[in-house]
Amino acid sequence: MPARRARPAGGALVVSVTLVIAMMAGPPLAGAATVTREWRAKVGTAGVYGTATIQGYTTGSGAAVLKLAKLRVSTLLPVVISKGTCAAVGATVVKLPSVRSSSSGAVARTLGMTAAQVTAIRKASGAGKMAFRVGSGSTTRCGVFTVIPKPPVVGPTINVGALPSDVAVTPGGVFVTNWLDDTLSKVDPATNSVLASIPLEISGNAGPEAIAYGDGALWVTVTGLDGTRQNPVAGSLLRVDPATGRTVATIPMGSPAGVATSPGAVWVTSHWDGTVTRVDPTTNSVSATIMLTDGLWGLAYGEGAVWVANPERDFVYRIDPATNAVTATISNVVDPVGVTVGGRSVWVTNWGTTGQPDGLVSRIDPLTSQVTRTIPVGTNPGRIAFGGGYLWVALQGASTLVQVDPATNAVKAMVTTGPVVTEDDGHGWRTRGVAATDSSVWAVQPYPKSYDTVAPPGKLVRVHF
């Protein structure tokens, strides 16, 4: 192991860590209809009847490209995509418009697909095999789809508020916390534009930090420092109505660091106090305080438990929400910072040596509470998200997202989300907050020097996959 690390500081201090990482070659930039997902079926044995290709675009919509031959001549043929295989056809996923074959039995058509149809394809593909069928009865021709690998595509960069910290995706939009100007930016994912800048009632040298969505509300931690910018001051948890932007409740907290939601509960780590606070969203009041150890950071809910990282003690705690009791302490995780749950696993970022590309992700089996694999990912991995069957890691040393494939426990792609604009003092753009859906990743990029001087707008970058 390397020499003992400088750990990420509490609250808003983490963005002032000065790191430099070499520029990496970026992924393609999104065009008007850039392909981000592709599935292809060879119809008949070895594709004797041609191919059917489904493409998903950055716009959310897609197309089915049919290049078929040797079909029943001059006939209107139904086209269906189903779960399963040709030998064991399952439920219909998408029924496309029928196509008419030529006098030679050929079909060369491109059929438009709606965003809802492409979403259905994505979900079915993630759950198992899919089959393409054209024709009916004894003349039906079939092929099983395989996934054609595509690199992530960097979409638009959206200006948000000053010193953005975290991001959350909700049914009503994407929300970004902006620490320096005490606002939330509400972004429309359909247009990739800011719908509103929502002011929050925050006093003193404090600002909105972490954010989560649950029980129909946004839950925002407020962190702050005293006049020396060295010592934390009392923070709070805000409940914000995502529809109106109104702050519904303010709940006092010690030194909040991370926030997560579970059914009927909101969970907040307190970095300096060493506690996990449970909030009842029906009353907007604290229902339990769980004493752990100082230095707590990220947390997540999933697989029936709350998982809490402590980079100061090299622990990950498992909390049973039914009893609010710690049921496991995982001790062989060095510098755990960010936590997420997905793919039947718990994933934890390991900060590593400051400024060095030795950061890791630890994979934990929730059934045994044991680390099953560590994956090298790069310089100072921080926040982390799971979406679309992949793990997404924000490297706080650069404008970089790391895509990890759980099937191989290996890095699939390094995504440069923008230029690393570095000042003489080492400040520059770097990726921080991250949130993922089935088809997009949203990454927050603050400009840390704005913490000390005039604040340029922060960035929200959308990556399609």
Side-chain angles (χ1 to χ4, degrees):
M1 294 298 293
R4 200 59 179 167
R5 295 149 246 348
R7 303 178 187 273
L13 284 175
V14 72
V15 295
S16 65
V17 177
T18 56
L19 308 169
V20 180
I21 190 171
M23 283 287 289
M24 300 184 65
L29 299 177
T34 305
V35 177
T36 59
R37 288 282 182 98
E38 191 166 277
W39 301 262
R40 184 168 299 151
K42 293 181 178 179
V43 184
T45 303
V48 65
Y49 299 112
T51 61
T53 303
I54 298 174
Q55 297 176 331
Y57 301 145
T58 52
T59 56
S61 60
V65 181
L66 308 183
K67 297 179 179 179
L68 306 173
K70 301 181 181 180
L71 304 179
R72 190 172 179 179
V73 301
S74 303
T75 304
L76 192 63
L77 305 170
V79 178
V80 178
I81 299 167
S82 305
K83 295 180 180 179
T85 65
C86 295
V89 177
T92 297
V93 178
V94 172
K95 182 178 289 187
L96 295 173
S98 297
V99 294
R100 183 170 293 279
S101 60
S102 69
S103 57
S104 64
V107 172
R109 289 281 305 277
T110 298
L111 306 176
M113 298 181 66
T114 66
Q117 289 175 322
V118 175
T119 298
I121 293 292
R122 289 179 188 271
K123 291 181 178 179
S125 175
K129 294 184 179 296
M130 289 190 308
F132 169 86
R133 291 182 297 144
V134 59
S136 59
S138 61
T139 60
T140 299
R141 304 298 180 235
C142 182
V144 175
F145 284 103
T146 57
V147 177
I148 306 300
K150 292 289 181 181
V153 177
V154 176
T157 297
I158 305 160
N159 285 344
V160 289
L163 202 61
S165 177
D166 202 6
V167 56
V169 180
T170 78
V174 179
F175 290 81
V176 177
T177 56
N178 303 304
W179 193 89
L180 199 62
D181 61 15
D182 298 342
T183 64
L184 295 178
S185 295
K186 182 178 182 179
V187 175
D188 181 1
T191 61
N192 296 310
S193 61
V194 175
L195 293 175
S197 179
I198 302 169
L200 301 173
E201 297 180 4
I202 300 173
S203 59
N205 188 35
E209 178 78 8
I211 186 170
Y213 176 79
D215 281 276
L218 294 167
W219 303 89
V220 181
T221 64
V222 176
T223 62
L225 304 170
D226 63 11
T228 68
R229 294 185 177 178
Q230 300 298 318
N231 303 306
V233 297
S236 60
L237 177 69
L238 306 182
R239 177 176 184 155
V240 179
D241 184 336
T244 65
R246 185 174 69 89
T247 298
V248 177
T250 300
I251 306 161
M253 293 282 159
S255 51
V259 60
T261 62
S262 67
V266 182
W267 307 82
V268 182
T269 52
S270 185
H271 181 77
W272 299 105
D273 300 342
T275 59
V276 174
T277 302
R278 179 173 183 163
V279 173
D280 184 347
T282 62
T283 62
N284 297 321
S285 61
V286 174
S287 59
T289 300
I290 305 164
M291 181 61 68
L292 298 177
T293 52
D294 65 325
L296 303 181
W297 197 251
L299 78 167
Y301 170 81
E303 297 293 330
V306 178
W307 306 84
V308 184
N310 187 328
E312 299 295 333
R313 307 299 180 109
D314 293 342
F315 289 159
V316 174
Y317 301 97
R318 175 180 181 148
I319 297 174
D320 182 352
T323 62
N324 296 324
V326 175
T327 56
T329 300
I330 306 165
S331 59
N332 57 334
V333 184
V334 179
D335 288 339
V337 180
V339 188
T340 193
V341 182
R344 299 181 179 178
S345 295
V346 180
W347 307 86
V348 182
T349 53
N350 309 138
W351 183 258
T353 309
T354 293
Q356 297 299 315
D358 62 354
L360 305 171
V361 168
S362 293
R363 183 174 190 168
I364 298 172
D365 183 344
L367 297 178
T368 63
S369 297
Q370 296 294 317
V371 175
T372 60
R373 191 67 63 96
T374 56
I375 305 165
V377 291
T379 305
N380 303 136
R383 289 193 170 118
I384 189 171
F386 195 95
Y390 295 105
L391 185 70
W392 302 89
V393 184
L395 297 186
Q396 287 190 208
S399 299
T400 304
L401 279 175
V402 181
Q403 182 188 26
V404 176
D405 188 347
T408 60
N409 290 310
V411 171
K412 183 177 176 65
M414 304 284 284
V415 184
T416 301
T417 55
V420 181
V421 183
T422 306
E423 299 279 333
D424 292 339
D425 57 6
H427 289 85
W429 298 106
R430 70 270 330 274
T431 305
R432 192 173 182 209
V434 59
T437 67
D438 286 340
S439 59
S440 295
V441 185
W442 301 85
V444 165
Q445 292 185 207
Y447 188 69
K449 193 172 183 180
S450 63
Y451 179 75
D452 301 311
T453 58
V454 177
K459 309 292 184 182
L460 176 66
V461 180
R462 185 176 190 174
V463 177
H464 303 271
F465 64 95

